[in-house]
Short mmCIF file of all heavy atoms in Angstrom, two decimals:
data_model
loop_
_atom_site.label_atom_id
_atom_site.label_comp_id
_atom_site.label_asym_id
_atom_site.label_seq_id
_atom_site.Cartn_x
_atom_site.Cartn_y
_atom_site.Cartn_z
N MET A 111 -0.85 4.27 -44.61
CA MET A 111 -1.60 5.08 -43.63
C MET A 111 -0.88 6.43 -43.50
O MET A 111 0.33 6.46 -43.34
CB MET A 111 -1.67 4.35 -42.31
CG MET A 111 -2.59 5.06 -41.33
SD MET A 111 -2.69 4.33 -39.68
CE MET A 111 -3.17 2.68 -39.98
N LYS A 112 -1.65 7.44 -43.51
CA LYS A 112 -1.04 8.77 -43.35
C LYS A 112 -0.59 9.03 -41.92
O LYS A 112 -1.11 8.43 -40.99
CB LYS A 112 -2.05 9.84 -43.75
CG LYS A 112 -2.38 9.89 -45.22
CD LYS A 112 -3.25 11.09 -45.50
CE LYS A 112 -3.40 11.22 -46.99
NZ LYS A 112 -4.14 12.44 -47.30
N LEU A 113 0.40 9.87 -41.80
CA LEU A 113 0.97 10.15 -40.51
C LEU A 113 -0.04 10.82 -39.58
O LEU A 113 -0.07 10.50 -38.37
CB LEU A 113 2.20 11.05 -40.66
CG LEU A 113 3.01 11.36 -39.39
CD1 LEU A 113 3.54 10.08 -38.77
CD2 LEU A 113 4.16 12.29 -39.73
N GLU A 114 -0.91 11.66 -40.09
CA GLU A 114 -1.93 12.32 -39.24
C GLU A 114 -2.93 11.32 -38.67
O GLU A 114 -3.33 11.41 -37.53
CB GLU A 114 -2.68 13.38 -40.05
CG GLU A 114 -1.83 14.58 -40.44
CD GLU A 114 -1.03 14.30 -41.74
OE1 GLU A 114 -1.36 13.36 -42.46
OE2 GLU A 114 -0.10 15.09 -41.98
N ILE A 115 -3.28 10.32 -39.49
CA ILE A 115 -4.19 9.30 -39.02
C ILE A 115 -3.56 8.43 -37.96
O ILE A 115 -4.18 8.10 -36.91
CB ILE A 115 -4.72 8.45 -40.20
CG1 ILE A 115 -5.51 9.29 -41.19
CG2 ILE A 115 -5.58 7.26 -39.72
CD1 ILE A 115 -5.89 8.58 -42.46
N ALA A 116 -2.31 8.07 -38.18
CA ALA A 116 -1.57 7.26 -37.16
C ALA A 116 -1.44 7.99 -35.85
O ALA A 116 -1.62 7.45 -34.79
CB ALA A 116 -0.19 6.89 -37.72
N ARG A 117 -1.13 9.30 -35.93
CA ARG A 117 -1.00 10.10 -34.69
C ARG A 117 -2.34 10.18 -33.97
O ARG A 117 -2.38 10.09 -32.75
CB ARG A 117 -0.51 11.49 -35.03
CG ARG A 117 0.94 11.54 -35.30
CD ARG A 117 1.37 12.96 -35.58
NE ARG A 117 2.80 13.04 -35.90
CZ ARG A 117 3.40 14.08 -36.39
NH1 ARG A 117 2.70 15.20 -36.61
NH2 ARG A 117 4.67 14.10 -36.65
N GLY A 118 -3.43 10.36 -34.74
CA GLY A 118 -4.73 10.44 -34.12
C GLY A 118 -5.14 9.14 -33.45
O GLY A 118 -5.67 9.14 -32.31
N LEU A 119 -4.86 8.00 -34.11
CA LEU A 119 -5.18 6.73 -33.47
C LEU A 119 -4.30 6.49 -32.23
O LEU A 119 -4.78 5.92 -31.24
CB LEU A 119 -4.93 5.59 -34.48
CG LEU A 119 -5.99 5.50 -35.62
CD1 LEU A 119 -5.54 4.41 -36.61
CD2 LEU A 119 -7.35 5.26 -35.08
N PHE A 120 -3.02 6.89 -32.31
CA PHE A 120 -2.16 6.74 -31.11
C PHE A 120 -2.69 7.57 -29.96
O PHE A 120 -2.71 7.14 -28.83
CB PHE A 120 -0.74 7.15 -31.50
CG PHE A 120 0.20 7.03 -30.29
CD1 PHE A 120 0.60 5.81 -29.81
CD2 PHE A 120 0.65 8.19 -29.66
CE1 PHE A 120 1.47 5.73 -28.75
CE2 PHE A 120 1.46 8.10 -28.59
CZ PHE A 120 1.89 6.85 -28.11
N LEU A 121 -3.13 8.79 -30.28
CA LEU A 121 -3.65 9.68 -29.22
C LEU A 121 -4.92 9.10 -28.63
O LEU A 121 -5.09 9.10 -27.38
CB LEU A 121 -3.95 11.07 -29.81
CG LEU A 121 -4.54 12.07 -28.85
CD1 LEU A 121 -3.55 12.40 -27.75
CD2 LEU A 121 -4.96 13.35 -29.59
N VAL A 122 -5.79 8.56 -29.43
CA VAL A 122 -7.04 7.94 -28.92
C VAL A 122 -6.69 6.73 -28.04
O VAL A 122 -7.29 6.50 -26.98
CB VAL A 122 -7.98 7.59 -30.09
CG1 VAL A 122 -9.14 6.71 -29.61
CG2 VAL A 122 -8.50 8.84 -30.75
N ALA A 123 -5.76 5.90 -28.53
CA ALA A 123 -5.38 4.72 -27.73
C ALA A 123 -4.73 5.12 -26.41
O ALA A 123 -4.98 4.53 -25.36
CB ALA A 123 -4.41 3.85 -28.54
N ALA A 124 -3.88 6.17 -26.42
CA ALA A 124 -3.22 6.60 -25.19
C ALA A 124 -4.27 7.15 -24.21
O ALA A 124 -4.19 6.90 -22.99
CB ALA A 124 -2.18 7.66 -25.51
N LEU A 125 -5.23 7.90 -24.68
CA LEU A 125 -6.28 8.43 -23.82
C LEU A 125 -7.13 7.30 -23.29
O LEU A 125 -7.60 7.37 -22.15
CB LEU A 125 -7.14 9.47 -24.60
CG LEU A 125 -6.45 10.78 -24.87
CD1 LEU A 125 -7.38 11.67 -25.73
CD2 LEU A 125 -6.07 11.50 -23.61
N ALA A 126 -7.41 6.26 -24.09
CA ALA A 126 -8.18 5.14 -23.59
C ALA A 126 -7.45 4.39 -22.49
O ALA A 126 -8.05 3.98 -21.46
CB ALA A 126 -8.48 4.18 -24.77
N VAL A 127 -6.15 4.19 -22.64
CA VAL A 127 -5.34 3.50 -21.60
C VAL A 127 -5.31 4.32 -20.35
O VAL A 127 -5.43 3.84 -19.23
CB VAL A 127 -3.96 3.19 -22.14
CG1 VAL A 127 -3.03 2.76 -20.99
CG2 VAL A 127 -3.99 2.15 -23.23
N THR A 128 -5.16 5.68 -20.48
CA THR A 128 -5.10 6.55 -19.35
C THR A 128 -6.43 6.55 -18.62
O THR A 128 -6.48 6.51 -17.37
CB THR A 128 -4.74 7.98 -19.79
OG1 THR A 128 -3.49 7.94 -20.49
CG2 THR A 128 -4.61 8.90 -18.61
N THR A 129 -7.53 6.55 -19.35
CA THR A 129 -8.85 6.55 -18.75
C THR A 129 -9.08 5.21 -17.99
O THR A 129 -9.61 5.21 -16.89
CB THR A 129 -9.93 6.75 -19.80
OG1 THR A 129 -9.68 7.97 -20.50
CG2 THR A 129 -11.30 6.78 -19.18
N ALA A 130 -8.69 4.13 -18.61
CA ALA A 130 -8.84 2.81 -17.94
C ALA A 130 -8.02 2.71 -16.68
O ALA A 130 -8.45 2.20 -15.68
CB ALA A 130 -8.50 1.70 -18.92
N ALA A 131 -6.79 3.27 -16.74
CA ALA A 131 -5.92 3.23 -15.53
C ALA A 131 -6.48 4.11 -14.44
O ALA A 131 -6.44 3.74 -13.25
CB ALA A 131 -4.50 3.66 -15.92
N ALA A 132 -6.98 5.28 -14.78
CA ALA A 132 -7.60 6.17 -13.77
C ALA A 132 -8.84 5.54 -13.18
O ALA A 132 -9.10 5.70 -11.97
CB ALA A 132 -7.91 7.55 -14.40
N ALA A 133 -9.62 4.83 -13.96
CA ALA A 133 -10.86 4.19 -13.43
C ALA A 133 -10.51 3.03 -12.52
O ALA A 133 -11.22 2.72 -11.55
CB ALA A 133 -11.73 3.74 -14.57
N ALA A 134 -9.41 2.32 -12.84
CA ALA A 134 -9.05 1.13 -12.03
C ALA A 134 -8.26 1.49 -10.75
O ALA A 134 -8.18 0.67 -9.86
CB ALA A 134 -8.21 0.20 -12.89
N TRP A 135 -7.69 2.70 -10.73
CA TRP A 135 -6.90 3.09 -9.56
C TRP A 135 -7.80 3.52 -8.43
O TRP A 135 -8.45 4.53 -8.46
CB TRP A 135 -5.99 4.23 -9.97
CG TRP A 135 -5.03 4.63 -8.89
CD1 TRP A 135 -4.69 3.96 -7.78
CD2 TRP A 135 -4.22 5.84 -8.88
NE1 TRP A 135 -3.77 4.65 -7.03
CE2 TRP A 135 -3.45 5.78 -7.71
CE3 TRP A 135 -4.08 6.91 -9.73
CZ2 TRP A 135 -2.58 6.82 -7.39
CZ3 TRP A 135 -3.19 7.90 -9.41
CH2 TRP A 135 -2.46 7.84 -8.24
N GLU A 136 -7.86 2.69 -7.41
CA GLU A 136 -8.72 2.95 -6.26
C GLU A 136 -7.87 2.96 -4.99
O GLU A 136 -7.31 1.96 -4.65
CB GLU A 136 -9.84 1.91 -6.15
CG GLU A 136 -10.74 2.14 -5.01
CD GLU A 136 -11.81 1.04 -4.94
OE1 GLU A 136 -12.11 0.43 -5.95
OE2 GLU A 136 -12.34 0.81 -3.84
N GLN A 137 -7.82 4.10 -4.34
CA GLN A 137 -7.08 4.17 -3.12
C GLN A 137 -8.04 4.16 -1.95
O GLN A 137 -9.13 4.78 -2.02
CB GLN A 137 -6.23 5.45 -3.05
CG GLN A 137 -5.10 5.49 -4.05
CD GLN A 137 -4.27 6.73 -3.85
OE1 GLN A 137 -4.68 7.70 -3.21
NE2 GLN A 137 -3.11 6.73 -4.47
N PRO A 138 -7.69 3.51 -0.85
CA PRO A 138 -8.58 3.50 0.28
C PRO A 138 -8.63 4.88 0.94
O PRO A 138 -7.64 5.58 1.02
CB PRO A 138 -7.97 2.47 1.24
CG PRO A 138 -6.54 2.37 0.78
CD PRO A 138 -6.50 2.66 -0.66
N ARG A 139 -9.76 5.26 1.35
CA ARG A 139 -9.95 6.56 1.98
C ARG A 139 -9.95 6.37 3.47
O ARG A 139 -10.32 5.31 3.99
CB ARG A 139 -11.28 7.16 1.55
CG ARG A 139 -11.26 7.53 0.06
CD ARG A 139 -12.63 8.01 -0.38
NE ARG A 139 -12.64 8.46 -1.74
CZ ARG A 139 -12.65 7.64 -2.81
NH1 ARG A 139 -12.66 6.36 -2.63
NH2 ARG A 139 -12.65 8.14 -4.03
N PRO A 140 -9.54 7.38 4.23
CA PRO A 140 -9.58 7.25 5.68
C PRO A 140 -11.01 7.09 6.20
O PRO A 140 -11.90 7.83 5.78
CB PRO A 140 -8.94 8.55 6.21
CG PRO A 140 -8.83 9.45 5.06
CD PRO A 140 -8.99 8.64 3.81
N VAL A 141 -11.18 6.14 7.10
CA VAL A 141 -12.53 5.81 7.59
C VAL A 141 -12.45 5.88 9.11
O VAL A 141 -11.52 5.32 9.72
CB VAL A 141 -12.99 4.47 7.11
CG1 VAL A 141 -14.36 4.13 7.65
CG2 VAL A 141 -13.00 4.41 5.58
N VAL A 142 -13.47 6.40 9.75
CA VAL A 142 -13.57 6.42 11.19
C VAL A 142 -14.65 5.38 11.58
O VAL A 142 -15.76 5.46 11.13
CB VAL A 142 -13.95 7.80 11.75
CG1 VAL A 142 -14.13 7.79 13.22
CG2 VAL A 142 -12.90 8.83 11.36
N PHE A 143 -14.29 4.44 12.41
CA PHE A 143 -15.20 3.42 12.87
C PHE A 143 -15.83 3.90 14.20
O PHE A 143 -15.17 4.50 15.05
CB PHE A 143 -14.49 2.10 13.12
CG PHE A 143 -13.93 1.50 11.83
CD1 PHE A 143 -12.59 1.53 11.61
CD2 PHE A 143 -14.78 0.92 10.94
CE1 PHE A 143 -12.10 0.98 10.44
CE2 PHE A 143 -14.30 0.38 9.78
CZ PHE A 143 -12.93 0.39 9.52
N SER A 144 -17.09 3.55 14.35
CA SER A 144 -17.75 3.85 15.60
C SER A 144 -18.21 2.56 16.24
O SER A 144 -18.26 1.51 15.60
CB SER A 144 -18.94 4.78 15.38
OG SER A 144 -19.96 4.13 14.63
N LYS A 145 -18.59 2.63 17.49
CA LYS A 145 -19.04 1.42 18.19
C LYS A 145 -20.32 0.91 17.63
O LYS A 145 -20.62 -0.29 17.66
CB LYS A 145 -19.16 1.70 19.69
CG LYS A 145 -17.82 1.78 20.37
CD LYS A 145 -18.01 1.88 21.87
CE LYS A 145 -16.65 1.93 22.56
NZ LYS A 145 -16.81 1.94 24.02
N ALA A 146 -21.15 1.83 17.09
CA ALA A 146 -22.42 1.38 16.50
C ALA A 146 -22.22 0.52 15.27
O ALA A 146 -22.94 -0.41 15.06
CB ALA A 146 -23.28 2.62 16.16
N GLU A 147 -21.17 0.85 14.48
CA GLU A 147 -20.90 0.04 13.28
C GLU A 147 -20.30 -1.31 13.64
O GLU A 147 -20.49 -2.29 12.93
CB GLU A 147 -19.94 0.82 12.38
CG GLU A 147 -20.51 2.08 11.80
CD GLU A 147 -19.48 2.87 11.05
OE1 GLU A 147 -18.27 2.51 11.07
OE2 GLU A 147 -19.85 3.88 10.44
N LEU A 148 -19.57 -1.41 14.74
CA LEU A 148 -18.94 -2.62 15.14
C LEU A 148 -19.80 -3.47 16.08
O LEU A 148 -19.30 -4.51 16.55
CB LEU A 148 -17.59 -2.28 15.84
CG LEU A 148 -16.60 -1.54 14.99
CD1 LEU A 148 -15.37 -1.18 15.82
CD2 LEU A 148 -16.20 -2.33 13.78
N ALA A 149 -21.03 -3.08 16.28
CA ALA A 149 -21.88 -3.83 17.22
C ALA A 149 -22.21 -5.21 16.71
O ALA A 149 -22.39 -6.14 17.49
CB ALA A 149 -23.19 -3.06 17.49
N GLY A 150 -22.25 -5.43 15.40
CA GLY A 150 -22.61 -6.73 14.84
C GLY A 150 -21.46 -7.72 14.89
O GLY A 150 -21.64 -8.91 14.66
N GLN A 151 -20.25 -7.25 15.17
CA GLN A 151 -19.10 -8.16 15.21
C GLN A 151 -18.91 -8.71 16.61
O GLN A 151 -19.44 -8.20 17.58
CB GLN A 151 -17.84 -7.39 14.79
CG GLN A 151 -17.93 -6.93 13.37
CD GLN A 151 -16.67 -6.17 12.95
OE1 GLN A 151 -15.74 -6.04 13.74
NE2 GLN A 151 -16.65 -5.72 11.70
N CYS A 152 -18.15 -9.76 16.71
CA CYS A 152 -17.87 -10.38 18.01
C CYS A 152 -16.94 -9.48 18.83
O CYS A 152 -15.89 -9.13 18.40
CB CYS A 152 -17.20 -11.75 17.82
SG CYS A 152 -18.23 -12.94 16.93
N PRO A 153 -17.36 -9.15 20.04
CA PRO A 153 -16.49 -8.33 20.90
C PRO A 153 -15.32 -9.12 21.44
O PRO A 153 -15.38 -10.38 21.57
CB PRO A 153 -17.42 -7.88 22.02
CG PRO A 153 -18.47 -8.96 22.09
CD PRO A 153 -18.64 -9.47 20.69
N LEU A 154 -14.26 -8.48 21.80
CA LEU A 154 -13.10 -9.11 22.41
C LEU A 154 -13.45 -9.46 23.86
O LEU A 154 -14.20 -8.72 24.54
CB LEU A 154 -11.88 -8.22 22.35
CG LEU A 154 -11.34 -7.93 20.99
CD1 LEU A 154 -10.23 -6.90 21.05
CD2 LEU A 154 -10.83 -9.17 20.35
N PRO A 155 -12.91 -10.53 24.38
CA PRO A 155 -13.17 -10.89 25.78
C PRO A 155 -12.50 -9.85 26.72
O PRO A 155 -11.41 -9.33 26.45
CB PRO A 155 -12.52 -12.26 25.93
CG PRO A 155 -11.54 -12.37 24.83
CD PRO A 155 -12.04 -11.52 23.71
N ARG A 156 -13.18 -9.58 27.82
CA ARG A 156 -12.67 -8.59 28.81
C ARG A 156 -11.75 -9.24 29.84
O ARG A 156 -11.23 -8.57 30.69
CB ARG A 156 -13.82 -7.90 29.51
CG ARG A 156 -14.67 -7.07 28.59
CD ARG A 156 -15.74 -6.36 29.35
NE ARG A 156 -16.65 -5.66 28.46
CZ ARG A 156 -17.57 -4.83 28.85
NH1 ARG A 156 -17.74 -4.60 30.16
NH2 ARG A 156 -18.34 -4.24 28.02
N ALA A 157 -11.62 -10.55 29.79
CA ALA A 157 -10.91 -11.28 30.84
C ALA A 157 -9.42 -10.92 30.93
O ALA A 157 -8.84 -10.98 31.99
CB ALA A 157 -11.08 -12.76 30.64
N GLY A 158 -8.78 -10.60 29.83
CA GLY A 158 -7.37 -10.30 29.92
C GLY A 158 -6.87 -9.69 28.61
O GLY A 158 -7.63 -9.45 27.70
N LYS A 159 -5.57 -9.46 28.59
CA LYS A 159 -4.97 -8.87 27.38
C LYS A 159 -4.85 -9.97 26.30
O LYS A 159 -4.66 -11.16 26.60
CB LYS A 159 -3.58 -8.40 27.69
CG LYS A 159 -3.51 -7.20 28.59
CD LYS A 159 -2.07 -6.76 28.76
CE LYS A 159 -1.95 -5.55 29.62
NZ LYS A 159 -0.55 -5.15 29.79
N PRO A 160 -4.94 -9.58 25.06
CA PRO A 160 -4.66 -10.54 23.99
C PRO A 160 -3.22 -10.94 24.04
O PRO A 160 -2.35 -10.21 24.51
CB PRO A 160 -4.95 -9.74 22.72
CG PRO A 160 -5.83 -8.60 23.13
CD PRO A 160 -5.46 -8.31 24.53
N LEU A 161 -2.93 -12.16 23.56
CA LEU A 161 -1.58 -12.68 23.65
C LEU A 161 -0.57 -11.89 22.82
O LEU A 161 0.59 -11.76 23.21
CB LEU A 161 -1.55 -14.15 23.21
CG LEU A 161 -2.30 -15.13 24.11
CD1 LEU A 161 -2.30 -16.50 23.50
CD2 LEU A 161 -1.69 -15.14 25.51
N ALA A 162 -1.03 -11.31 21.73
CA ALA A 162 -0.11 -10.57 20.86
C ALA A 162 0.42 -9.34 21.57
O ALA A 162 1.57 -8.95 21.44
CB ALA A 162 -0.81 -10.15 19.56
N GLN A 163 -0.41 -8.68 22.40
CA GLN A 163 0.04 -7.51 23.08
C GLN A 163 0.88 -7.87 24.33
O GLN A 163 1.79 -7.17 24.70
CB GLN A 163 -1.15 -6.65 23.53
CG GLN A 163 -1.85 -5.98 22.39
CD GLN A 163 -3.03 -5.15 22.89
OE1 GLN A 163 -3.35 -5.17 24.05
NE2 GLN A 163 -3.69 -4.47 21.94
N ALA A 164 0.58 -8.97 24.94
CA ALA A 164 1.29 -9.37 26.16
C ALA A 164 2.71 -9.82 25.84
O ALA A 164 3.59 -9.65 26.66
CB ALA A 164 0.49 -10.47 26.87
N GLN A 165 2.93 -10.42 24.64
CA GLN A 165 4.23 -10.97 24.33
C GLN A 165 5.04 -10.08 23.40
O GLN A 165 6.07 -10.53 22.88
CB GLN A 165 4.03 -12.32 23.67
CG GLN A 165 3.45 -13.37 24.57
CD GLN A 165 3.18 -14.67 23.90
OE1 GLN A 165 3.35 -14.78 22.68
NE2 GLN A 165 2.74 -15.64 24.63
N ALA A 166 4.63 -8.86 23.17
CA ALA A 166 5.37 -8.00 22.27
C ALA A 166 6.61 -7.50 22.97
O ALA A 166 6.60 -6.87 23.97
CB ALA A 166 4.51 -6.82 21.87
N LYS A 167 7.77 -7.80 22.32
CA LYS A 167 9.09 -7.40 22.84
C LYS A 167 9.86 -6.84 21.67
O LYS A 167 9.85 -7.38 20.58
CB LYS A 167 9.82 -8.55 23.46
CG LYS A 167 9.15 -9.14 24.67
CD LYS A 167 9.97 -10.31 25.22
CE LYS A 167 9.22 -10.93 26.39
NZ LYS A 167 9.90 -12.12 26.90
N PRO A 168 10.61 -5.74 21.86
CA PRO A 168 11.38 -5.24 20.75
C PRO A 168 12.55 -6.16 20.39
O PRO A 168 13.16 -6.73 21.25
CB PRO A 168 11.90 -3.88 21.27
CG PRO A 168 11.84 -4.00 22.77
CD PRO A 168 10.70 -4.93 23.06
N ASP A 169 12.77 -6.28 19.10
CA ASP A 169 13.87 -7.13 18.63
C ASP A 169 15.13 -6.31 18.59
O ASP A 169 15.19 -5.21 18.02
CB ASP A 169 13.53 -7.65 17.23
CG ASP A 169 14.54 -8.65 16.75
OD1 ASP A 169 15.39 -9.08 17.49
OD2 ASP A 169 14.45 -9.04 15.56
N GLN A 170 16.18 -6.80 19.19
CA GLN A 170 17.45 -6.04 19.29
C GLN A 170 18.18 -6.00 17.93
O GLN A 170 18.99 -5.11 17.71
CB GLN A 170 18.35 -6.69 20.32
CG GLN A 170 17.75 -6.71 21.71
CD GLN A 170 17.47 -5.28 22.25
OE1 GLN A 170 18.18 -4.33 21.96
NE2 GLN A 170 16.39 -5.17 22.99
N ASP A 171 17.89 -6.93 17.03
CA ASP A 171 18.57 -7.00 15.76
C ASP A 171 17.78 -6.29 14.67
O ASP A 171 18.15 -6.34 13.51
CB ASP A 171 18.82 -8.42 15.36
CG ASP A 171 19.78 -9.13 16.32
OD1 ASP A 171 20.65 -8.43 16.86
OD2 ASP A 171 19.66 -10.34 16.48
N LEU A 172 16.70 -5.63 14.99
CA LEU A 172 15.87 -4.99 13.96
C LEU A 172 16.61 -3.89 13.24
O LEU A 172 16.55 -3.77 12.00
CB LEU A 172 14.58 -4.46 14.58
CG LEU A 172 13.61 -3.79 13.60
CD1 LEU A 172 13.15 -4.79 12.54
CD2 LEU A 172 12.44 -3.19 14.34
N LEU A 173 17.32 -3.05 13.97
CA LEU A 173 18.07 -1.96 13.35
C LEU A 173 19.16 -2.50 12.43
O LEU A 173 19.36 -2.01 11.33
CB LEU A 173 18.65 -1.05 14.43
CG LEU A 173 19.34 0.23 13.94
CD1 LEU A 173 18.37 1.06 13.18
CD2 LEU A 173 19.93 0.97 15.09
N LEU A 174 19.87 -3.51 12.87
CA LEU A 174 20.87 -4.15 12.02
C LEU A 174 20.26 -4.76 10.76
O LEU A 174 20.81 -4.65 9.67
CB LEU A 174 21.61 -5.22 12.81
CG LEU A 174 22.77 -5.91 12.11
CD1 LEU A 174 23.82 -4.91 11.75
CD2 LEU A 174 23.35 -6.99 13.01
N PHE A 175 19.11 -5.39 10.88
CA PHE A 175 18.44 -5.94 9.76
C PHE A 175 18.03 -4.89 8.79
O PHE A 175 18.22 -5.01 7.56
CB PHE A 175 17.20 -6.72 10.25
CG PHE A 175 16.30 -7.19 9.13
CD1 PHE A 175 16.72 -8.25 8.31
CD2 PHE A 175 15.10 -6.59 8.90
CE1 PHE A 175 15.89 -8.65 7.26
CE2 PHE A 175 14.27 -6.99 7.89
CZ PHE A 175 14.66 -8.04 7.05
N LEU A 176 17.46 -3.77 9.27
CA LEU A 176 17.05 -2.65 8.40
C LEU A 176 18.24 -2.05 7.67
O LEU A 176 18.18 -1.69 6.52
CB LEU A 176 16.25 -1.62 9.17
CG LEU A 176 14.89 -2.04 9.68
CD1 LEU A 176 14.28 -0.97 10.52
CD2 LEU A 176 13.99 -2.39 8.51
N PHE A 177 19.36 -1.92 8.38
CA PHE A 177 20.56 -1.34 7.79
C PHE A 177 21.09 -2.28 6.67
O PHE A 177 21.44 -1.83 5.62
CB PHE A 177 21.63 -1.18 8.87
CG PHE A 177 22.94 -0.64 8.31
CD1 PHE A 177 23.07 0.67 7.92
CD2 PHE A 177 24.03 -1.47 8.18
CE1 PHE A 177 24.25 1.17 7.42
CE2 PHE A 177 25.24 -1.00 7.68
CZ PHE A 177 25.33 0.34 7.29
N GLY A 178 21.05 -3.54 6.93
CA GLY A 178 21.49 -4.54 5.91
C GLY A 178 20.56 -4.51 4.68
O GLY A 178 21.05 -4.61 3.55
N MET A 179 19.25 -4.37 4.90
CA MET A 179 18.32 -4.29 3.79
C MET A 179 18.57 -3.03 2.98
O MET A 179 18.48 -3.05 1.73
CB MET A 179 16.89 -4.32 4.30
CG MET A 179 16.52 -5.69 4.94
SD MET A 179 16.52 -7.01 3.77
CE MET A 179 15.11 -6.61 2.77
N ARG A 180 18.85 -1.93 3.65
CA ARG A 180 19.10 -0.66 2.97
C ARG A 180 20.36 -0.73 2.14
O ARG A 180 20.46 -0.20 1.05
CB ARG A 180 19.16 0.46 3.97
CG ARG A 180 19.48 1.81 3.40
CD ARG A 180 18.34 2.30 2.51
NE ARG A 180 18.68 3.54 1.89
CZ ARG A 180 18.83 3.71 0.58
NH1 ARG A 180 18.65 2.71 -0.23
NH2 ARG A 180 19.16 4.87 0.08
N GLN A 181 21.43 -1.41 2.65
CA GLN A 181 22.66 -1.54 1.92
C GLN A 181 22.49 -2.37 0.64
O GLN A 181 23.15 -2.15 -0.35
CB GLN A 181 23.76 -2.16 2.79
CG GLN A 181 24.17 -1.29 3.98
CD GLN A 181 24.75 0.02 3.53
OE1 GLN A 181 25.56 0.05 2.62
NE2 GLN A 181 24.38 1.09 4.20
N GLY A 182 21.57 -3.30 0.71
CA GLY A 182 21.28 -4.13 -0.49
C GLY A 182 20.58 -3.39 -1.60
O GLY A 182 20.60 -3.83 -2.73
N LEU A 183 19.97 -2.24 -1.29
CA LEU A 183 19.23 -1.46 -2.31
C LEU A 183 20.13 -0.51 -3.06
O LEU A 183 19.70 0.08 -4.05
CB LEU A 183 18.10 -0.68 -1.63
CG LEU A 183 16.99 -1.53 -1.06
CD1 LEU A 183 15.97 -0.64 -0.33
CD2 LEU A 183 16.30 -2.34 -2.13
N LYS A 184 21.37 -0.32 -2.61
CA LYS A 184 22.25 0.64 -3.29
C LYS A 184 22.73 0.06 -4.63
O LYS A 184 22.99 -1.13 -4.72
CB LYS A 184 23.47 0.95 -2.41
CG LYS A 184 23.15 1.81 -1.23
CD LYS A 184 24.38 2.17 -0.48
CE LYS A 184 24.04 3.06 0.72
NZ LYS A 184 25.22 3.45 1.46
N PRO A 185 22.86 0.91 -5.65
CA PRO A 185 23.40 0.43 -6.93
C PRO A 185 24.87 0.11 -6.83
O PRO A 185 25.59 0.58 -5.95
CB PRO A 185 23.12 1.60 -7.87
CG PRO A 185 23.01 2.79 -6.99
CD PRO A 185 22.50 2.30 -5.68
N PHE A 186 25.35 -0.70 -7.71
CA PHE A 186 26.74 -1.14 -7.71
C PHE A 186 27.71 -0.13 -8.31
O PHE A 186 28.87 -0.33 -8.33
CB PHE A 186 26.89 -2.47 -8.46
CG PHE A 186 26.25 -3.62 -7.73
CD1 PHE A 186 25.13 -4.26 -8.30
CD2 PHE A 186 26.71 -4.08 -6.53
CE1 PHE A 186 24.55 -5.30 -7.66
CE2 PHE A 186 26.13 -5.14 -5.88
CZ PHE A 186 25.03 -5.76 -6.47
N GLY A 187 27.22 1.02 -8.81
CA GLY A 187 28.04 1.99 -9.50
C GLY A 187 28.74 2.90 -8.66
O GLY A 187 29.12 3.30 -7.72
#
């Protein structure tokens, strides 16, 4: 096989892979929800706060945990 033909086939294959990757890459776009769109869903009860918000407390060891995780990402060199 001639070198020019091999280069041409490689270029076509590279462009095909790039096109397939660009077509498959889908990022979510920012969306604004309105009350009219959410009317079909079940509303939250008005009787009280949800439990997740009522029991939210900051963890005192979170900063230490994040520091330890960051130290683990450093290279050994």
Side-chain angles (χ1 to χ4, degrees):
M111 186 183 305
K112 289 188 174 184
L113 185 59
E114 292 85 14
I115 296 173
R117 283 182 182 169
L119 289 176
F120 179 74
L121 178 65
V122 169
L125 289 175
V127 169
T128 304
T129 303
W135 185 13
E136 181 181 334
Q137 291 184 346
R139 292 174 176 80
V141 180
V142 176
F143 294 106
S144 68
K145 287 187 177 183
E147 294 173 354
L148 300 176
Q151 297 180 359
C152 297
L154 294 174
R156 296 184 186 189
K159 292 183 180 179
L161 293 176
Q163 290 179 356
Q165 296 176 353
K167 295 178 183 176
D169 187 9
Q170 300 299 326
D171 295 330
L172 180 62
L173 187 60
L174 182 61
F175 172 72
L176 292 175
F177 179 73
M179 293 296 290
R180 178 66 184 116
Q181 294 299 317
L183 294 176
K184 288 186 179 178
F186 290 115

